[in-house]
Each structure stands twice: as C-alpha cells, then as structure tokens.
Amino acid sequence: MPCKMHDIIIIGAGPAGLTAAIYARRAEKSVLIIEKETFGGQMTFSPKIENYPGMISVSGTELADKMVEQALSMGAEIELDEATGITYADNGSTVGSTVGGFIVKCASGEHEARAVIIAAGAKHRQLGVPREDDFVGRGISYCAVCDGAFYAGRSVAVIGGGNSALQEALSLSDLCEHVTIVQNLNFLTGEESLRAAVTSRDNVEVIYGATVAGIITDEDSDDFSGLLLNMSADGTERRLSCDGAFVAIGLSPENTPFESVTSLDEAGYIMSDETCYSETSGIFAAGDCRTKGVRQIATAVADGAAAALGAVKFLS
C-alpha cells in the first residue's frame, strides 16, 4: 500500500525540529517528525538550563518534554525511526501516487512528504573513555556557555586545542579560579589571536602532548574529581585534579544520509543561511546540522521557526 503523504516531514526532534513542527501545525500543515534516538536532542544532556528565555532554570529533559507535549497537542505525528536517505518521489519510486515531493527512507520503511526539514543535529565528539556517559552533566560538559556558571570559582579542564577549545577556555577563565587546557599535540591549533589571549591569562595553564585516558572519581562518593592523562612524550600517566571537564574536540553533524539532495561543507554541515533554505527546492535545514556561527537552544528554536515558515511558503 502507498505510504501516507504528509505536507512536511521533519527529521530530528531536537529544539529546531520540535519548533518547526509547532509552527507548521499552526499553519495547518500535516507534520511527521522522525527521530532515531532522544526527543529533545542534545539539550537533554543539560541538567540545568539558565539561558533560555522565559525559564529562570529548567532541566533539558523538562524543556524537551514540554516541547514534545506542545507539538503532539497540536497534532504533529512522531515516528521513532532512523532516516537513512531522501529521494524524489517522482524519480522511479512506486511509493505514493502524488507526482513530486520526497520519499524519506527509514530503517523501518518509507514516508512521503511535499517538503522536508532536516533538523538532524550534531553530536559532540566524545573522549571515548570508560564511564564518560555516566558523568555527562555532573563533571563532564560540552558547552561553557551552557554550564560554565556552575563552576564559578572552581577549577576546570578544557580538552582540545582548536578555536572552539580556546574560546571555551577564555570564557571559563572569566568565571573559574583555574583553567587547564589539555592538548594532545605539542602546540595549540587555534588562531594566533586566541592562542595569545589564552597564554596571557594568569589562571590558564596548558598541558601539551596529553590525552585523556580516564576519569578520576572520589573514593567515597563516586563524584567526578579529575582526569587521568597519558603523556605522549614518555608514556607516563598524570593525574589532573579538577571539578569539571569541558570537552571541545569538535562536533559531528549527522548529515551523511542526506548528501545526495543537499550540499555539505567540508565539515559535513548542510549549506544554508538564516533563511534555512537548502540548495534543493522543498528541502530546508534547521538547527545544529546547518552552517552557522552559534549553536544554542535559542538559535535552534529560531531556525525551526524560519524553516517551518519557509516550508509553508514553499507549499503555498
């Protein structure tokens, strides 16, 4: 049997995708959200969010639940599945009877839509050490803007030596008593201006030629208490005591399944500006998966609104 035709399919149920669903439903368009893992995306890893307008303090899970509830209450449909590709509905497909539109291929089947919003997000690259997931939000963080205030007056580590890591370190140095940058190379790879700014701070230290080999915990409470470092010069181990660690070794956008219908930049992000239009008519990109300078919940929500309004205009 042919699959159900939706006006708009949204790939990803993070803040961008959920906001897009709310705006699209307000325009009375039929909406299917496809999410492969966690409703709410990366924000569900934040135990406390204090920079989202209208919320003095809210957990990422609670904010995600409210967004999902709102989207569902307005009539959006949600499918727990993994989108594996997008093709044109009139390009040899036997699914559906409408000429034009798109087929979103998933692990468990296919869905058809007249427009598609890709809001697949981007994942922070992890350290890959034992129990890392156990300490996300309680010792391990991936965003100084989001979580830096929780470590005011304390000691933290920043893992990485590129632009993002150095910007994180500078931001944290304004709040924290001491910041230690852990870099696996013998030099920092960020821009010269950032390197100069970091090395000029009295409360910032750089440990070169070190990789994180493990997490140190308090023997009594099992709380995060530092990092175990492997020194590449002589293979010895070094213990670094700190109250928290900020991982800044890059983001990994999840756009590979969609590269046949939209252009990606060298880092794998969908080429799109603030309008959220892609190069393919009828396909839009919203949130962390597209090229942009700032990746925050507030900017993802803005993208979701822009993408949905663009899709509604396209359908009209």
Side-chain angles (χ1 to χ4, degrees), residues 292-312:
K292 58 192 304 181
V294 178
R295 292 183 169 86
Q296 294 286 297
I297 298 172
T299 61
V301 166
D303 277 7
L309 293 174
V312 169

Side-chain angles (χ1 to χ4, degrees), residues 153-167:
R154 304 169 76 183
S155 176
V156 299
V158 174
I159 296 91
N163 286 344
S164 295
L166 301 187
Q167 288 166 347

Side-chain angles (χ1 to χ4, degrees), residues 8 13 18 26 50 56 65 76 130 139 162 178 186 200 202 217 230 236 240 293 301:
I8 302 171
L18 292 170
R26 284 180 59 84
E50 296 180 326
I56 295 174
D65 288 345
H178 190 77
N186 293 321
S200 70
D202 292 335
T217 60
N230 190 322
T236 59
L240 173 65
V301 166

